[in-house]
Amino acid sequence: GQEKLRDAEHVKALVQGMNEHEERMKEERMRSLQDLRKTLDEQVKQPKNNALAKDDPLDLEACGPASLQRFSGEDNLHNDRKKIQ
């Protein structure tokens, strides 16, 4: 009798501990999802393309090395041709 009672109390304590752990994990996942949602919402508010539109001088303090690239296929007169059409 006494041993079965101790075993039952032990099982009860294990189940309670597992439930508490599961609840903590659930809360952690919810916080993580909320952080992700916040980050995505902030990114959606940012402009789609904040690249320089013209051949203005580069501010090297604000740009990375990739900003120095210039592709020979760039069509700087596209807007002018589009207006003519």
Side-chain angles (χ1 to χ4, degrees):
Q2 199 69 323
E3 189 175 326
K4 285 186 179 184
L5 183 60
R6 278 196 312 267
D7 287 346
E9 289 174 356
H10 181 71
V11 168
K12 182 179 176 182
L14 285 174
V15 169
Q16 183 179 355
M18 290 171 59
N19 287 338
E20 290 171 0
H21 176 72
E22 186 175 327
E23 189 62 32
R24 284 192 306 272
M25 295 302 291
K26 183 178 178 183
E27 290 171 4
E28 186 177 321
R29 282 192 302 270
M30 289 301 293
R31 278 193 303 275
S32 178
L33 287 173
Q34 288 171 346
D35 290 346
L36 176 61
R37 171 53 62 196
K38 181 181 174 186
T39 299
L40 291 175
D41 288 343
E42 289 171 0
Q43 289 177 352
V44 165
K45 293 176 186 176
Q46 294 179 3
K48 296 285 184 207
N49 185 356
N50 58 2
L52 297 174
K54 303 288 179 191
D55 291 332
D56 297 333
L58 293 175
D59 177 7
L60 296 180
E61 296 298 320
C63 300
S67 300
L68 297 174
Q69 289 180 319
R70 180 174 174 96
F71 299 100
S72 62
E74 288 180 356
D75 188 359
N76 294 330
L77 299 177
H78 170 73
N79 290 333
D80 296 335
R81 277 198 324 284
K82 194 170 184 177
K83 287 178 186 176
I84 294 171
Q85 294 176 355

